[in-house]
Amino acid sequence: MDITQFSVFENRCLVNGEWLSSEETLAVSNPLDQSVITTVPVLSEQIIEQAIVDADIAQKKWKNVAPNERSRLLRDWFDLLIKHQDELAAIMTVEQGKPLKEAKGEITYAASYIEWFSEEAKRGYGDIIPSAASSEILVFKEAIGVCAAITPWNFPAAMITRKVAPALAAGCSILVKPASETPLTALAIAKLAEQAGFPKGVFNVITGSSTKIGQIFTQSPLVKKLSFTGSTEIGAKLMAQSAPTVKKLSLELGGNAPVLVFNSANLEQAVQGVMDTKFRNAGQTCVCANRIYVQSEIYDVFIEKLKLEVEKMKMGNGLDADTDIGPLINRKAVQKVEEHIADALSKGALLVTGKTENTEGNWCVPTLVKDVTQQMLCAKEETFGPFAPIFKFETEEQVIEMSNDTEFGLASYLFTQDINQFIRVSRGLDYGMVGVNTGLISNAAAPFGGVKSSGIGREGSKYGMDEYLEMKYVCLGNIN
Ligand code: SIN
């Protein structure tokens, strides 16, 4: 499939309403066979700095555009994403590797954030607070200013719209640096934003060196807010770099999601839930199950049922309709999964199904291993691939302790039919999100985010707009 012929295809950057190319470029390749699809610009420091200045000028006008007009433009952008979802999904599959059916799902998911925030644009309510003094306390909610976003390759569309849509709804302008592996989905989405009619400079997409762009964004006093999705290591670095200019930050960082399957669980539901959360995007999501804890009474039967489902998965080219699992993003990602499997097996875990070594290219066979312990690498680090390690536990207290024994706190899941247990365990888990009897928790209407080293802030939902707004307290004195 030649995605370069699509009407939404674009390989130049959108900066202040202009489509820019550059002499120096970056190759974008297909993870299926490493073939080069196209190149994108490496924009110079000077152009990026000017882009920030122009975004500041654009923002000063944009914040005064009536909320219902901002809402209408977002709605038009949403309609265009839906209209072009097949082309957008194919671009995503070719540059990222995920199966077409998942890519289509991601476009719908990405569009749902635009739809949600097109509605929230009209609801930037302030407050009037009763005061004991002879004054009135007013709270205005105001757009924070120029924002910057650095987004990952695992969700090339949704991680952009869930930052850009609330920013634009709030009256901010935004510059996005998409992942170097997947800039084409971002540029196609930007092309549709241009068609929707957003004024020049309010939405910009910049490609080039991640380190350099991160430095420019964080050092600029004009950039008032940075939103980042990616690793905890890079998130902490961006946080330190942002300190001198005291920026507002949203950080959606690493996870190490536990799944707790209790004796009381509906086993079919639990197996389906684990399949959904473990193997979505070939295990390359921050909310993917990383550790699967199964209570002793159902341990063997659960593993047998899960094994049957894992073995049904078809690995292949994401463009083929029957593919369930595509290639991983690159060879380094495969090596990390293989390292986790080898470590577990060397420390006494047992292989249930899968392939543990000598894979080729970016392929990684879905692998199930049992009798895993807290001492193994996969208990401590995020695997980010199709490896499902199963741990045995005896009691509720024990599994809560094991689940919380990590620096991360993004997503967690539990399966039980006992209502009291679901409440006790949900309260006991030190995580920003808990899925109960489901492996799919992502939703534009829900507050997505983590605690501990998994980040700061929430994306989506009614709370997502606040990340792009400042409160201004106005004291109205002498009102008697
Ligand atoms: C992520 O992996 O960072 C996001 C996953 C999601 O939105 O479901």
Side-chain angles (χ1 to χ4, degrees), residues 67 87 148 156 308 404 435:
E87 288 184 353
L308 291 178
N404 291 340

Side-chain angles (χ1 to χ4, degrees), residues 109 154-155 159 162 229 252 280 285-287 442 448:
Y109 178 44
N154 63 341
F155 287 88
M159 297 306 100
R162 93 175 172 197
T229 296
E252 199 253 277
R280 177 175 170 228
T285 89
C286 299
V287 293
S442 307
F448 191 105

Side-chain angles (χ1 to χ4, degrees), residues 8-26 28 38-45 47-49 51 54 174-180 182-194 200-201 203-210 213 217:
V8 295
F9 179 83
E10 184 54 70
N11 63 355
R12 295 166 298 168
C13 290
L14 180 60
V15 177
N16 198 30
E18 306 276 324
W19 289 98
L20 301 186
S21 0
S22 71
E23 227 160 77
E24 192 186 345
T25 58
L26 209 63
V28 184
T38 187
T39 60
V40 292
V42 174
L43 293 185
S44 70
E45 208 162 305
I47 288 180
I48 301 168
E49 274 162 6
D54 291 333
I174 188 159
L175 302 106
V176 176
K177 155 71 178 82
S180 301
T182 56
L184 303 177
T185 309
L187 293 168
I189 284 175
K191 199 162 181 170
L192 296 176
E194 186 192 37
K200 70 173 192 172
F203 176 29
N204 309 273
V205 179
I206 284 169
T207 58
S209 151
S210 305
I213 296 173
F217 282 171

